Amino acid sequence: MPRQEAEAGQRTGRIGIPSIRRVDHFAFTVLDLDAAVQFFAEVLGGELCYIEGPVQDQQGDWMRRKLGVHPRAVAHVAMVRVGPDTNLELFQYAAPGQRTAPVPLGDPGGRRMALRVANVDAVAGRLRERDDVTVTCDAVCPTVWPGDSVRRVGFTTSWGLELQLSGSADPLAAPRGAAPSGPAEVLGADHLALTVADLEASVRFFTEVVGARPLPLVGPRERSGVRAKLRLGPTDRIELRQYEGGGTPPAPGNADVGGSHLAFHVDDVDAAAAYLAAQPGVHVMGEPETITHGPIEGNRWVYFTTPIGVQMEVLRMPDGQLPYEQLTDARRASSHAFDWAH
């Protein structure tokens, strides 16, 4: 019945990927997988669900056809859950021609993951104590609610990811610089900031093809560019930015440090892939495949490229029936119970 449900949604005028549930995970390529996993565990209470790898094809071109990387590339992958609903898929590649310096946020292809935390004032001090973190901004901004404000702490990491933590600024909290006794309590993903070359085309793709909904902009205006914020289903948001005078380096590929993709959970991967293949400028990277071994045996998935330069994925992960669940108490945040429209 998932295919029938998707067709019914199209008949009622619903715009977007058929049978889509929500953003299943945000994927990022880092320079040091172990360091990234350790950071998320120590600072943000992340749970390591599983590690895969090496993922490779020593003789054929499966890596190029299915992942868009060099045929001889080798990947190791970790799935880390942070907070109640957010999955982060972290990749470390070894690949010919790999770029190891992330694209700056001001250039097309630059990106930053922003998370909401309960104790931002406390965890900010801990960030400044870490050798693998460089704090780039720390500001308190008023919200739309009288007397309320939010503190945003942005930082880069030595292993190639740019992050931001935000939360209510508490005037009675410990002084700035005081470190917490444990990891931050992650409340959820605030947004993914993504710099694009064409803001109008990107907003159109996310709204008309994916099914995102525009949100009002809150906060200070960009000094040197424009931005738009969109709701991506029930749990996530994306902030698209286009800067004036930004560089024009090629966007990072999957194997490059700073590379990333957005993955959407759908009930029917094949119907979603057929829909996407019919969209202008979209290239579905082969037929959907079902993983037949390893920690997520049973996962059905396929990557696709987009005309706005953002790589994406649709998948159906059978949470509750995955082999890794026999080896750990950690669990991915499941997507099955979510409804894209709510």
Side-chain angles (χ1 to χ4, degrees):
M1 296 6 133
R3 186 182 298 273
Q4 294 172 347
E5 293 171 4
E7 292 172 351
Q10 291 177 321
R11 287 196 298 271
T12 59
R14 175 176 170 178
I15 296 174
I17 298 173
S19 74
I20 189 170
R21 291 281 179 179
R22 74 170 190 126
V23 174
D24 183 86
H25 61 265
F26 301 90
F28 303 99
T29 299
V30 299
L31 189 63
D32 185 331
L33 187 63
D34 291 338
V37 170
Q38 183 178 4
F39 171 88
F40 282 109
E42 293 179 351
V43 179
L44 298 174
E47 294 183 289
L48 175 63
C49 298
Y50 57 83
I51 293 179
E52 291 183 277
V55 180
Q56 61 185 327
D57 182 356
Q58 295 180 327
Q59 297 181 344
D61 66 346
W62 186 92
M63 297 292 286
R64 178 190 62 79
R65 290 186 294 105
K66 303 300 294 185
L67 302 181
V69 299
H70 192 280
R72 301 286 81 80
V74 179
H76 290 80
V77 190
M79 177 62 71
V80 177
R81 176 177 178 168
V82 291
D85 300 318
T86 304
N87 297 315
L88 301 178
E89 188 177 47
L90 305 173
F91 287 78
Q92 181 179 339
Y93 275 97
Q98 180 189 40
R99 287 183 286 166
T100 58
V103 173
L105 185 62
D107 292 340
R111 57 212 67 199
R112 179 181 64 207
M113 188 72 210
L115 300 167
R116 292 179 290 108
V117 297
N119 49 346
V120 65
D121 291 312
V123 76
R126 187 169 188 177
L127 289 174
R128 296 182 186 278
E129 296 176 353
R130 294 187 63 93
D131 294 335
D132 59 345
V133 166
T134 300
V135 175
T136 56
C137 65
D138 187 348
V140 176
C141 305
T143 71
V144 295
W145 305 104
D148 188 32
S149 59
V150 62
R151 184 177 179 185
R152 296 187 176 93
V153 183
F155 56 98
T156 58
T157 64
S158 61
W159 31 269
L161 191 56
E162 185 164 351
L163 296 160
Q164 181 188 84
L165 302 181
S166 65
S168 295
D170 183 359
L172 300 179
R176 292 194 178 199
S181 58
E185 179 188 354
V186 176
L187 303 177
D190 187 79
H191 66 273
L192 173 69
L194 177 62
T195 303
V196 295
D198 187 330
L199 182 64
E200 183 178 346
S202 299
V203 169
R204 188 165 57 248
F205 183 87
F206 272 103
T207 54
E208 296 181 3
V209 177
V210 176
R213 291 194 294 168
L215 292 171
L217 289 174
V218 178
R221 295 171 61 93
E222 293 289 339
R223 295 181 180 178
S224 59
V226 290
R227 63 190 176 105
K229 185 170 284 188
L230 306 171
R231 179 178 174 181
L232 287 177
T235 57
D236 299 288
R237 297 179 295 180
I238 189 168
E239 187 170 284
L240 302 172
R241 299 164 177 244
Q242 182 180 344
Y243 289 97
E244 298 173 2
T248 55
N254 274 349
D256 296 327
V257 174
S260 70
H261 70 265
L262 268 174
F264 301 102
H265 185 101
V266 298
D267 291 339
D268 189 330
V269 175
D270 295 83
Y275 162 82
L276 291 163
Q279 306 306 310
V282 172
H283 170 62
V284 177
M285 300 173 68
E287 296 296 323
E289 293 188 6
T290 299
I291 296 175
T292 58
H293 62 278
I296 51 174
E297 178 183 340
N299 176 41
R300 189 159 180 80
W301 65 281
V302 69
Y303 279 18
F304 61 100
T305 61
T306 69
I308 61 172
V310 181
Q311 187 151 313
M312 302 183 187
E313 177 187 5
V314 288
L315 73 152
R316 187 179 190 280
M317 187 83 73
D319 291 293
Q321 306 172 39
L322 296 167
Y324 86 86
E325 296 166 347
Q326 305 301 315
L327 305 174
T328 177
D329 291 332
R331 293 292 184 271
R332 288 174 13 96
S334 177
S335 300
H336 297 275
F338 289 95
D339 185 334
W340 182 265
H342 294 90

